[in-house]
């Protein structure tokens, strides 16, 4: 479990009493008891209060806060306060201020406003982390340490440019190797001195977000920027660990956040935490996918849901309320996908500034007689009943989807063949085919062990890193089924094209050669014409966006194109490789095609859903010590009935329920326990 001090699902969230007077704080403590709140994240943005100038620190207010929470039965997730530097620091040491992509130096303001390669920022952020660790190392209230907050952004200052050159020297060692990796003979860009290299920005090689003349250089800047921020995190992490070796340290991630390679970050985090903020129109399958990514970056370990709103956001274009029951429903969805906490931003609504309309457990009215508070208190009571029952249970999956940040960056900087290709959208399409059938999926990285899986899917595997092709060949050779799609096997890790024919290093495994790729206009469509039925997959299906024109080199053709000059050419192939199979999908097929194909392959492998449920009812499973916990989550606006057949279960939230079926209210959640053997 996360902490033996609090042996249950943590329930609480971000709390900022420095914005309020002492009387309000005392009222909050009483309301927290009513709501079942047992943990508060504090000190996230308090650097200016903690350190009013260069030499003085004042933590007395924090002493009183942590003590008063603890005396009320509330534990602390203690942040280091370094998410926004103080104004005095920006005034005296302007190197802490970021420079934007257009070369403009920022002034003090906002947050995430510190240059990650600023010596000043690194010095003082490490110092305050050390002082906090020394002061609170023995405090019984502290259960988690929280470094900074939602790292992100980028910087193009002189410090970053110098640091980029150092990073490049470590990566490539020689300028000859760098010039080769970046193909600098193109446009006469050959470098003869490290100091000739400048950051790729709107002043040099780039324009806008994903447009660049030199993909290899821009890709390396993305890697460098992620690594620079990770170094800042690591400095604070090490400062705390030096003083509190047993400290459990995290920082809150943000799901599919493009600027940071979370697989690399996860290796330096004791436990993953992340902030979940879907909109009213976000597909629930996408939210589930994000949870599974956050679980996957730490090899399936349970994670902390650090933030969600109990009611509404403030920063989206349309900040809709969560409908009655949805807060509870989405909270249990997080638990179903691996969370061992349910936490909110925020516990009390701010009175001013940009988050004053962000939802909170305690609304501006300041009392408990609100819909949101009643729902929050009800969930808090349920979590008390559940106790430690679900803690440390795991999710067992036979299906894995491969995800890689380098691949994401490279695809969307690729300068063709189409602006319509979005990596995460493709990942979601294939994930949804399993989600809709209640087949559990792990999201894994290129370094992950694949031996436990029956089926591995790598949509748009554009970049094939060293050793990955061999790993996929071994997986398939041993009996696994591998699936990939159009625009795969194109480049290596420096974004240089794999010469000798696409799909490069995957060519032998897939048994095909891709000669050309056609980019269709948004209004254009082609057809996937099945040659023979594959289960329920039969007839014609629409496809579009990209169409690979391929030739077989041993693979079996299962479907062909129905239109254009490449009518009759293969669009779906299957290659026997050792004891397994490798499938190639040469175009972006419609949902019915992807669903049908994934169902056929899963059925072939004997991969079964957790339960069969009506549309809109999600079924997930966590497992511990021979017991399974089945989550039934009704995302519909009306009640639904799930057949349990001969499954002998106990309803953890309603022990009086028995029977071979169960009715789940609109937007309701049920957790069942039953014996389990894998």
């Amino acid at each position: 479990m996360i902490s033996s001090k609090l042996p249950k699902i943590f329930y609480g969230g971000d709390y900022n009493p420095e914005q309020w007077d002492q009387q309000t704080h005392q009222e909050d403590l009483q309301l927290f008891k009513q709501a079942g709140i047992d943990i508060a994240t504090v000190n996230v943005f308090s650097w200016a209060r903690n350190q009013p100038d260069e030499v003085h620190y004042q933590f007395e207010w924090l002493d009183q806060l942590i003590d008063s929470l603890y005396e009320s039965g509330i534990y602390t997730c203690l942040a280091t306060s370094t998410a926004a530097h103080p104004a005095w620091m920006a005034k005296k040491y302007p190197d802490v201020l970021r420079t934007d992509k257009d070369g403009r130096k920022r002034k003090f303001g906002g947050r995430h406003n510190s240059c990650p390669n600023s010596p000043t920022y690194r010095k003082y952020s490490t110092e305050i982390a050390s002082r906090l660790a020394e002061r609170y190392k023995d405090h019984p209230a502290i259960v988690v340490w929280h470094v900074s907050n939602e790292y992100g952004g980028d910087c193009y200052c002189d410090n970053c440019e110098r640091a980029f050159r150092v990073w490049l020297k470590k990566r490539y060692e020689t300028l000859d190797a760098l010039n080769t990796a970046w193909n600098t003979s193109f446009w006469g860009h050959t470098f003869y001195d490290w100091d000739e290299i400048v950051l790729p920005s709107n002043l040099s090689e780039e324009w806008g977000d994903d447009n660049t003349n030199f993909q290899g250089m821009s890709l390396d800047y993305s890697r460098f920027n992620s690594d620079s921020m990770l170094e800042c995190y690591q400095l604070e992490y090490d400062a705390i660990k030096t003083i509190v070796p047993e400290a459990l340290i995290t920082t809150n991630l943000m799901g599919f956040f493009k600027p940071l390679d979370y697989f690399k970050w996860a290796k330096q985090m004791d436990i993953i935490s992340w902030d979940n903020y879907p909109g009213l129109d976000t597909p629930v399958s996408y939210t589930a996918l994000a949870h599974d990514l956050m679980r996957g970056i730490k090899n399936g370990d349970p994670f902390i849901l650090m933030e969600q709103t109990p009611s509404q956001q403030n920063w989206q274009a349309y900040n809709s309320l969560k409908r009655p029951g949805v807060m509870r429903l989405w909270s249990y969805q997080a638990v179903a996908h691996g969370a061992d906490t349910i936490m909110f931003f925020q516990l009390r609504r701010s009175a001013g500034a940009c988050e004053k309309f962000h939802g909170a457990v305690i609304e501006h009215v300041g009392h408990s007689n609100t819909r949101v508070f009643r729902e929050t208190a009800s969930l808090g009571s349920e979590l008390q009943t559940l106790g430690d029952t679900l803690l440390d249970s795991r999710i067992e999956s036979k299906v894995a989807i491969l995800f890689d940040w380098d691949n994401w960056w490279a695809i969307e900087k690729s300068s063709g063949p189409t602006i319509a290709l979005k990596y995460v959208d493709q990942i979601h399409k294939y994930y949804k085919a399993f989600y809709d059938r209640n087949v559990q999926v792990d999201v894994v990285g290129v370094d992950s062990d694949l031996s436990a899986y029956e089926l591995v899917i790598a949509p748009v595997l554009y970049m094939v890193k060293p050793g990955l092709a061999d790993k996929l060949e071994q997986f398939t050779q041993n009996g696994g089924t591998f699936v990939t799609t159009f625009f795969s096997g194109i480049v290596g890790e420096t974004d240089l094209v794999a010469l000798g024919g696409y799909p490069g290093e995957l060519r032998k495994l897939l048994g095909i050669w891709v000669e050309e790729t056609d980019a269709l206009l948004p209004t254009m469509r082609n057809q996937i014409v099945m040659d023979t039925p594959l289960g329920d997959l039969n007839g014609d299906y629409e496809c579009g966006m990209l169409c690979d024109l391929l030739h077989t080199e041993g693979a079996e053709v299962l479907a062909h194109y129905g239109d254009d000059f490449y009518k009759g050419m293969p669009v779906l192939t299957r290659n026997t490789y050792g004891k397994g199979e490798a499938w190639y999908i040469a175009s972006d097929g419609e949902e019915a095609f992807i669903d049908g194909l994934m169902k056929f392959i899963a059925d072939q492998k004997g991969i079964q859903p957790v339960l069969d449920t009506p549309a809109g009812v999600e079924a997930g499973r966590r497992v511990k010590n021979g017991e399974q916990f089945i989550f039934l989550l009704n995302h519909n606006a009306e009640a639904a009935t799930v057949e349990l057949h001969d499954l002998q279960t106990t309803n953890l939230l309603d022990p009086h329920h028995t029977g071979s079926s169960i009715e789940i209210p609109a937007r309701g959640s049920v957790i069942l326990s039953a014996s389990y053997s894998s």
Side-chain angles (χ1 to χ4, degrees), residues 214-228:
F214 278 81
Q215 284 77 30
M217 182 189 300
S218 294
L219 177 60
D220 274 342
Y221 173 77
S222 294
R223 291 166 169 153
F224 159 76
N225 186 57
S226 177
D227 286 353
S228 295

Side-chain angles (χ1 to χ4, degrees), residues 208-400:
D209 291 332
D210 285 319
N211 301 299
T212 176
N213 297 316
F214 278 81
Q215 284 77 30
M217 182 189 300
S218 294
L219 177 60
D220 274 342
Y221 173 77
S222 294
R223 291 166 169 153
F224 159 76
N225 186 57
S226 177
D227 286 353
S228 295
M229 293 191 190
L230 180 54
E231 287 176 5
C232 291
Y233 164 83
Q234 190 72 52
L235 286 169
E236 293 190 47
Y237 177 97
D238 291 343
I240 297 168
K241 283 286 189 180
T242 298
I243 298 166
V244 194
E246 71 279 8
L248 187 73
I249 305 176
T250 191
T251 186
N252 46 337
L253 309 181
M254 293 177 283
F256 287 101
F257 182 65
K258 193 174 181 182
L260 303 184
D261 182 348
Y262 284 157
F263 278 103
K264 291 186 72 173
W265 279 66
K267 295 175 183 177
Q268 312 305 323
M269 297 172 65
D270 295 334
I271 189 169
I272 300 303
S273 65
W274 88 284
D275 301 345
N276 179 39
Y277 289 111
L280 186 64
D281 59 349
T282 302
V284 290
S285 57
Y286 185 88
T287 303
L289 170 60
H291 286 307
D292 285 341
L293 174 67
M294 294 293 93
R295 177 171 53 83
I297 62 175
K298 198 69 170 173
N299 301 314
D301 287 352
F303 58 86
I304 293 174
L305 177 64
M306 184 67 78
E307 293 183 23
Q308 63 171 346
T309 177
S311 56
Q312 65 190 145
Q313 281 84 238
N314 71 292
W315 44 268
Q316 294 178 343
Y318 305 97
N319 294 292
S320 306
L321 293 172
K322 286 183 176 176
R323 273 43 189 170
V326 170
M327 180 277 291
R328 176 179 180 270
L329 173 65
W330 289 1
S331 295
Y332 281 134
Q333 184 188 42
V335 176
H337 287 270
D340 273 0
T341 77
I342 296 172
M343 297 168 69
F344 302 106
F345 184 89
Q346 48 195 327
L347 294 185
R348 176 182 277 273
R349 278 203 191 206
S350 301
C354 65
E355 289 178 338
K356 64 182 178 291
F357 294 130
H358 194 293
V361 173
I362 304 171
E363 300 280 4
H364 284 145
V365 70
H367 58 58
S368 62
N369 189 24
T370 66
R371 176 182 69 89
V372 171
F373 189 90
R374 287 191 294 272
E375 289 193 28
T376 305
S378 176
L379 179 55
S381 177
E382 287 185 354
L383 297 180
Q384 293 289 344
T385 300
L386 286 171
D388 65 354
T389 303
L390 302 173
L391 296 185
D392 292 332
S393 56
R394 305 277 295 217
I395 293 167
E396 295 184 353
S397 305
K398 294 298 183 183
V399 181

